[in-house]
Amino acid sequence: MTNEYRISLKDRMKSTKKWRKKDTMTKIKRGIHQPDAVDILCKECNMHITCGSYMRKKGCHFTCVDPEIKHKVRIVKYRSPQVYRDTQNIGNFKCGNPSCGQQLGVAILFLEGNQITHSGYGFKVQSFLFKLPDASKRTFKQWKKVTFDIPDM
């Protein structure tokens, strides 16, 4: 083996170790809180929207499977839906509090082929306040930074 090859191999091993360490730390941060102990509130009026255990990831969308959510939000439909390969955006959904109306995300129909499999809500993480078990409230800029695990749908 040449000296250059050994140096290159050591650099690759270092970068792999860094990547694995970072991945492990991300998993540890993700599991800090139990999902059922986290409440998701409207950022503007602090109205309870759902619990963290009802959140699911479907493709690149974070949606809620809480059957009661339709009573806590209002849907403002688009004139014509925005059609994508695997989804159809049918409108925005807003906080159900009459004095608030904060936009929380997008109302979505999930598609497989041309068939609608189910409907859901694409939550926009910046619109929410997360009430954690230690009674602190926190916002996040990205879903990957939340401190509880969100399973796939």
Side-chain angles (χ1 to χ4, degrees):
M1 272 196 245
T2 64
N3 198 23
E4 291 174 7
Y5 181 73
R6 285 183 182 162
I7 292 171
S8 171
L9 194 58
K10 283 183 181 181
D11 288 343
R12 284 186 195 170
M13 288 172 62
K14 270 186 187 178
S15 65
T16 303
K17 282 182 183 178
K18 282 182 185 178
W19 180 80
R20 283 186 179 157
K21 184 177 180 182
K22 184 179 177 185
D23 190 47
T24 304
M25 291 306 292
T26 302
K27 286 179 182 175
I28 290 170
K29 285 181 185 177
R30 259 286 160 103
I32 290 176
H33 298 107
Q34 292 296 320
D36 57 341
V38 177
D39 288 326
I40 300 175
L41 314 171
C42 173
K43 188 175 178 180
E44 294 296 318
C45 68
N46 288 339
M47 182 177 137
H48 183 267
I49 303 295
T50 190
C51 181
S53 61
Y54 286 115
M55 295 302 297
R56 299 288 183 273
K57 184 177 180 190
K58 171 86 172 158
C60 64
H61 298 284
F62 287 85
T63 188
C64 180
V65 294
D66 185 358
E68 295 297 315
I69 193 161
K70 58 186 152 208
H71 303 298
K72 298 177 183 179
V73 298
R74 272 182 304 143
I75 296 178
V76 179
K77 292 196 174 193
Y78 297 145
R79 289 184 186 172
S80 60
Q82 299 171 347
V83 180
Y84 300 102
R85 184 174 25 141
D86 58 350
T87 60
Q88 197 176 57
N89 294 356
I90 57 171
N92 294 324
F93 71 97
K94 298 183 176 196
C95 178
N97 186 348
S99 63
C100 179
Q102 164 78 11
Q103 183 177 338
L104 302 175
V106 183
I108 300 172
L109 296 175
F110 293 97
L111 309 170
E112 280 187 24
N114 289 335
Q115 299 295 322
I116 296 171
T117 56
H118 62 282
S119 62
Y121 303 94
F123 278 52
K124 188 169 68 171
V125 72
Q126 296 94 346
S127 300
F128 295 101
L129 194 60
F130 295 84
K131 185 177 177 188
L132 303 174
D134 58 358
S136 65
K137 293 180 181 176
R138 182 165 176 208
T139 59
F140 295 97
K141 291 186 178 180
Q142 296 176 325
W143 279 109
K144 68 181 181 179
K145 300 208 176 180
V146 297
T147 57
F148 59 96
D149 191 34
I150 301 174
D152 290 335
M153 194 173 226

Coordinates of all heavy atoms in Angstrom, one line a residue, residues 1-10:
M1 N 0.8 -1.2 0.0 CA 0.0 0.0 0.0 C 0.9 1.2 0.0 O 1.9 1.3 0.7 CB -0.9 0.0 1.3 CG -2.2 -0.7 1.1 SD -3.3 -0.2 2.5 CE -3.4 -1.7 3.3
T2 N 0.4 2.2 -0.8 CA 1.2 3.4 -0.8 C 0.8 4.3 0.4 O -0.3 4.1 1.0 CB 0.9 4.2 -2.1 OG1 -0.4 4.6 -2.2 CG2 1.3 3.4 -3.3
N3 N 1.6 5.3 0.7 CA 1.4 6.2 1.8 C 0.1 7.0 1.5 O -0.6 7.3 2.4 CB 2.6 7.0 2.0 CG 2.6 7.7 3.4 OD1 2.0 7.2 4.3 ND2 3.3 8.8 3.5
E4 N 0.0 7.5 0.3 CA -1.2 8.3 -0.1 C -2.5 7.5 0.1 O -3.5 8.1 0.6 CB -1.1 8.8 -1.5 CG 0.0 9.8 -1.8 CD 0.1 10.1 -3.3 OE1 -0.7 9.6 -4.1 OE2 1.1 10.8 -3.6
Y5 N -2.5 6.3 -0.2 CA -3.7 5.4 -0.1 C -4.0 5.3 1.4 O -5.2 5.3 1.8 CB -3.4 4.1 -0.7 CG -4.6 3.2 -0.6 CD1 -5.8 3.4 -1.4 CD2 -4.6 2.1 0.2 CE1 -6.9 2.6 -1.3 CE2 -5.8 1.2 0.3 CZ -6.9 1.5 -0.4 OH -8.0 0.7 -0.3
R6 N -3.0 5.1 2.2 CA -3.2 4.9 3.7 C -3.8 6.2 4.3 O -4.7 6.1 5.1 CB -1.9 4.6 4.4 CG -1.5 3.2 4.2 CD -0.2 2.9 5.0 NE 0.2 1.5 4.7 CZ 1.4 1.0 5.0 NH1 2.3 1.8 5.5 NH2 1.7 -0.2 4.7
I7 N -3.3 7.3 3.8 CA -3.8 8.6 4.3 C -5.3 8.8 3.9 O -6.2 9.2 4.7 CB -3.0 9.8 3.8 CG1 -1.6 9.7 4.5 CG2 -3.7 11.1 4.1 CD1 -0.6 10.7 3.9
S8 N -5.6 8.4 2.6 CA -6.9 8.5 2.1 C -7.9 7.6 2.9 O -9.0 8.0 3.2 CB -6.9 8.1 0.6 OG -8.2 8.0 0.2
L9 N -7.4 6.4 3.2 CA -8.2 5.4 3.9 C -8.5 5.9 5.4 O -9.6 5.8 5.9 CB -7.5 4.1 4.0 CG -8.3 2.9 4.4 CD1 -9.5 2.7 3.5 CD2 -7.4 1.6 4.4
K10 N -7.5 6.5 6.0 CA -7.7 7.1 7.4 C -8.7 8.2 7.3 O -9.5 8.3 8.2 CB -6.3 7.6 7.9 CG -5.5 6.5 8.4 CD -4.2 7.0 9.0 CE -3.3 5.9 9.5 NZ -2.1 6.4 10.2

